Amino acid sequence: MTSLTGNICLALAALISVALLSPFFQTKISTSNDQGASGYMVIIVLFLSFLFLGLMSIVYFAINKQGAFNWVSTTGSVRFLFLSIGLLSAVIIAAIGVMNRFMPVSSSYILQSLMKAVPVVIFVVLLVTGFILNNTGIREHVNLLFYKWPLFFVDSLCLAGLLFMTASALFSPKSSVESSTRKYESSTSIVQSRLTEIEESDVKENMMRLLEFTGGLYPMEVREKASEKIKTNPDWQNELIAMLESDNALNAFNFLQANEVEDKKLFLQPVLTGVMTVAGYIRHTIQGTSPSAFDDRMFSDEVNRVLRTVEKFEGNGVDYLPAVREMRAALDEPVGGKKIKFDCREILDSWIGKQ
């Protein structure tokens, strides 16, 4: 492994770092755009980061062959462990910093600004240090402290940051998907993005998406804006009825749980049909879910929105109790011969007991 090979890899790594820091990765992706856009961006960042890691590994190997890393430790195994863990940690943290530039996040402005600067610092330190150490003529004229401490601090801080994030993920109290979604949706940038999407939506083309925004997972201002938009569709009641009588009943319940309709009589039978559809949805979902993936809080949102809707339409000549009982029975669908004790079972038992 020669110094020339190391320099070529350094040049390629520098090009990758420039690409990762380019404006292409600097603009937050609007959720009103293609929902898969952020996923493709993440894949690109990960690919380029692993490529950068591979190139820098070759550079480190070339430097080590020259004995230029002997200041780390005289023991080869210790030297390898420090350099490999440090480089890996630095590249991972840099990748996270790059993704922070385009992914919607709910952290403070100061933290976001700090995370934007992190990849720049990491790339500069790794590349400059690698260039100095890989070229004997330059290395001999540069004080050891000039590259030793920056590299040490970057690698150490990145490793500490990575360990902290891992520990937080492992030991922090686990929040449900629902609560995590609510927290995400409540951030200022996401709320504004949702409102913009609703404003720009074609109510006839995007009815399903707008109904989703009327659900309880979204902040009140988003729900109200979506409800107002839906009612601008002259045929919104008939579209809701059609959804209640199809597999999209849950989307209709999103809206109906918190909004009034102009003619309740039109909805009495379709709501009954919708409750039965949700019962089937729960049963099939349980059948198709791995036992390890179940959560006690599953179906709570679905059950709550159905019951809120039923309470608004009951007492008008249609008996919803048998359908609600069917929904309750669906929660007893066995998985591997066992029943999952979902929290919403108690909610349904209480509601049924009051009828």
Side-chain angles (χ1 to χ4, degrees), residues 39-335:
Y40 290 120
M41 296 278 277
V42 168
I43 292 173
I44 295 172
V45 170
L46 291 177
F47 173 76
L48 292 176
S49 296
F50 278 118
L51 191 55
F52 180 89
L53 176 63
L55 291 168
M56 289 305 299
S57 297
I58 296 174
V59 173
Y60 273 28
F61 185 76
I63 294 171
N64 191 56
K65 290 288 286 183
Q66 300 175 48
F69 273 136
N70 288 343
W71 54 270
V72 175
S73 174
T74 55
T75 305
S77 57
V78 174
R79 190 164 60 243
F80 172 78
L81 193 63
F82 173 80
L83 293 172
S84 57
I85 293 178
L87 177 60
L88 179 61
S89 301
V91 173
I92 292 175
I93 295 297
I96 293 173
V98 172
M99 286 186 278
N100 184 77
R101 293 166 175 247
F102 61 82
M103 293 288 286
V105 292
S106 56
S107 56
S108 66
Y109 175 78
I110 295 177
L111 182 58
Q112 289 188 50
S113 299
L114 180 62
M115 287 303 295
K116 285 182 179 181
V118 164
V120 179
V121 174
I122 291 174
F123 290 142
V124 169
V125 170
L126 292 181
L127 291 169
V128 172
T129 301
F131 181 73
I132 293 172
L133 292 174
N134 189 56
N135 293 276
T136 306
I138 298 175
R139 184 174 68 246
E140 291 176 347
H141 293 85
V142 177
N143 191 300
L144 174 65
L145 298 179
F146 181 81
Y147 51 82
K148 174 182 178 179
W149 290 115
L151 185 63
F152 176 79
F153 279 122
V154 164
D155 286 355
S156 299
L157 290 176
C158 287
L159 177 58
L162 198 57
L163 291 174
F164 175 77
M165 287 188 287
T166 303
S168 297
L170 291 175
F171 300 112
S172 295
K174 292 184 178 179
S175 59
S176 66
V177 173
E178 182 178 329
S179 62
S180 297
T181 302
R182 279 202 177 96
K183 182 179 179 181
Y184 171 79
E185 292 293 341
S186 296
S187 64
T188 303
S189 61
I190 299 302
V191 169
Q192 187 56 53
S193 176
R194 300 304 190 199
L195 293 175
T196 301
E197 179 179 352
I198 292 169
E199 182 66 30
E200 296 175 352
S201 291
D202 184 323
V203 69
K204 293 184 178 180
E205 295 291 332
N206 301 300
M207 185 71 165
M208 201 75 70
R209 179 67 170 162
L210 292 170
L211 285 170
E212 179 186 335
F213 285 140
T214 64
L217 294 177
Y218 296 91
M220 182 59 69
E221 57 185 310
V222 173
R223 283 181 270 167
E224 291 177 348
K225 184 74 171 180
S227 297
E228 291 173 5
K229 186 74 173 184
I230 288 170
K231 290 183 178 181
T232 62
N233 181 353
D235 202 35
W236 65 272
Q237 288 197 119
N238 287 328
E239 290 205 29
L240 285 174
I241 290 171
M243 289 182 187
L244 286 169
E245 296 174 338
S246 72
D247 292 337
N248 296 314
L250 276 170
N251 291 298
F253 284 125
N254 256 352
F255 178 87
L256 293 172
Q257 66 174 332
N259 292 276
E260 298 299 328
V261 296
E262 295 172 357
D263 189 348
K264 278 191 174 183
K265 293 181 180 179
L266 293 176
F267 285 84
L268 298 178
Q269 192 61 41
V271 167
L272 179 64
T273 303
V275 177
M276 294 299 294
T277 299
V278 173
Y281 159 79
I282 292 174
R283 196 179 297 277
H284 291 312
T285 301
I286 292 175
Q287 292 173 344
T289 302
S290 169
S292 61
F294 282 109
D295 187 296
D296 293 346
R297 292 159 289 196
M298 283 180 68
F299 305 118
S300 291
D301 177 65
E302 290 87 340
V303 166
N304 283 325
R305 70 176 99 156
V306 169
L307 291 182
R308 290 192 194 104
T309 302
V310 167
E311 288 172 351
K312 295 174 69 174
F313 288 91
E314 64 181 345
N316 289 285
V318 176
D319 184 8
Y320 294 104
L321 183 57
V324 174
R325 281 178 172 158
E326 180 62 28
M327 190 165 61
R328 171 62 180 85
L331 291 168
D332 287 333
E333 185 72 16
V335 179

